[in-house]
Amino acid sequence: MEPQGAVHLPDGRQSARAIEDRLREHSPGVRVPAGLLSRLYGLEERIVAAVGDLPSTLASHAVGRVLEQAALTPGEIGLLLFAAVSADVEEPANAHIVAVQSGLSCPVFDVTNACNSVLNALEVADAFIRAGRYRHILIACGETLSRLSRWTLPDSTALRTGLASLTGGDMGAALLVEASVDPGIVARTFMANSAGWPAATLFNPHHAPDGPRGLHIDSEQLLASFLGLDTRAAQWMKAQHADPNELALVGVHQPSVPFVRTFCDRLGIHPDSVIPTFHRTGNMGAATLPLQLSLATDQGRLRPGTQVALFGMASGASGGVMLIEW
């Protein structure tokens, strides 16, 4: 199978300074030093969608672009998967909304696993295509994570678990996976440390009404939940005889600049192998890896035969590594 993709980046931008100013306005009881988001997360600005744009809207823009660049009609798509942290609705599958907006009439369903949703959707698409079920599968992602921002943080405890919510960004992405004589996804592995799930939560107010409202992220607990997963990922890469520093591109989930730096240090990955995105976009959730693939294409780093490694990390905690020959 061969993957190719496209992204849709909204025009809106919100600087770290503007975020901090708004936080001070809504949370006068906490001290917000100037440059806090830059020092803790490396954030300069984030991308913010227009008020009327929903996750499906952003995803549909990206779907249209990937269909155009692949010279495919909607009728040639056999399956649509919607994979994102964000969602328009909880019922039905968000993929239905994207399908209608994109003119698709194929079967659809959602794949959700926090920030690893797209990587898991690639795994699902690869399995379907290898089984001969479909020839063309579209993965659509729409993230509006800026809308999870918690502006009212009454005390230092709330600040500790709410600050990371102010770093989410918005974008749409789409990946096309199609059957090929030479498989593009050559190897993959996935892992989990499910005991770490309380570190980052967004409870459903309808089904878990007693849970805390809004996005809560304990950054220290979240980082601790990944320990061991990164080691297993490094061991798997070694077993595949794959050296990240010999690859044209290493895609890494980017919830902050320090996280990427620490991850690369622990796995011995040279920083130049990774295209930095967080500082100018914010945390793009499940769209982070497609964004890096798109930027690598624009920079001429992805050509036929290029070898790529995608490292996914998601709250839960979940990890995944995928080796792709472009």
Side-chain angles (χ1 to χ4, degrees):
M1 49 150 281
E2 297 178 353
Q4 54 180 302
V7 300
H8 170 72
L9 300 177
D11 294 329
R13 299 293 184 273
Q14 187 178 36
S15 69
R17 179 176 179 177
I19 296 171
E20 291 169 359
D21 287 344
R22 182 172 176 181
L23 178 60
R24 292 188 192 96
E25 178 185 352
H26 290 270
S27 301
V30 297
R31 179 175 175 269
V32 182
L36 181 63
L37 293 175
S38 176
R39 289 197 300 275
L40 291 182
Y41 303 105
L43 184 69
E44 297 176 13
E45 65 178 3
R46 64 176 176 176
I47 296 178
V48 179
V51 174
D53 283 343
L54 299 177
S56 65
T57 314
L58 303 179
S60 298
H61 283 309
V63 166
R65 290 183 180 180
V66 81
L67 287 175
E68 182 178 0
Q69 75 180 33
L72 290 174
T73 65
E76 294 178 272
I77 302 302
L79 176 69
L80 173 68
L81 306 176
F82 180 84
V85 177
S86 308
D88 293 26
V89 296
E90 301 214 11
E91 177 77 15
N94 289 268
H96 286 295
I97 305 173
V98 177
V100 170
Q101 293 177 357
S102 304
L104 303 179
S105 57
C106 59
V108 306
F109 61 90
D110 292 356
V111 177
T112 58
N113 184 19
C115 294
N116 266 4
S117 296
V118 165
L119 199 63
N120 284 122
L122 275 171
E123 179 189 23
V124 171
D126 181 47
F128 272 132
I129 286 180
R130 288 177 186 272
R133 292 281 287 114
Y134 303 102
R135 178 166 180 78
H136 297 99
I137 297 177
L138 264 178
I139 299 169
C141 177
E143 297 287 25
T144 52
L145 299 179
S146 71
R147 294 172 189 170
L148 299 181
S149 300
R150 290 170 55 199
W151 297 110
T152 303
L153 304 174
D155 51 40
S156 58
T157 300
L159 184 68
R160 184 175 65 84
T161 63
L163 196 60
S165 74
L166 305 178
T167 66
D170 308 333
M171 68 170 284
L175 293 175
L176 172 66
V177 184
E178 57 184 349
S180 172
V181 175
D182 299 316
I185 296 178
V186 296
R188 84 291 299 152
T189 187
F190 291 85
M191 60 209 78
N193 171 26
S194 296
W197 77 264
T201 59
L202 180 62
F203 280 86
N204 187 314
H206 302 290
H207 301 292
D210 295 331
R213 296 299 178 93
L215 180 61
H216 289 251
I217 300 176
D218 187 316
S219 297
E220 291 184 6
Q221 287 188 17
L222 184 59
L223 183 61
S225 71
F226 292 136
L227 297 178
L229 299 185
D230 54 352
T231 304
R232 290 165 61 184
Q235 292 171 342
W236 181 83
M237 287 287 289
K238 187 175 181 179
Q240 301 301 312
H241 306 289
D243 183 348
N245 295 313
E246 294 179 356
L247 304 180
L249 175 71
V250 176
V252 178
H253 178 56
Q254 300 187 23
S256 74
V257 172
F259 177 90
V260 176
R261 187 182 304 121
T262 299
F263 183 85
C264 289
D265 286 345
R266 288 181 61 86
L267 272 70
I269 299 173
H270 195 281
D272 290 345
S273 300
V274 180
I275 297 177
T277 59
F278 177 90
H279 66 299
R280 297 298 300 274
T281 66
N283 184 351
M284 287 299 191
T288 303
L289 293 175
L291 174 59
Q292 292 169 65
L293 292 172
S294 177
L295 292 174
T297 300
D298 293 343
Q299 296 173 11
R301 294 176 62 168
L302 290 184
R303 303 180 182 89
T306 296
Q307 292 187 322
V308 177
L310 300 180
F311 289 88
M313 290 284 174
S315 58
S318 295
V321 192
M322 188 169 285
L323 290 175
I324 298 175
E325 185 167 320
W326 208 252

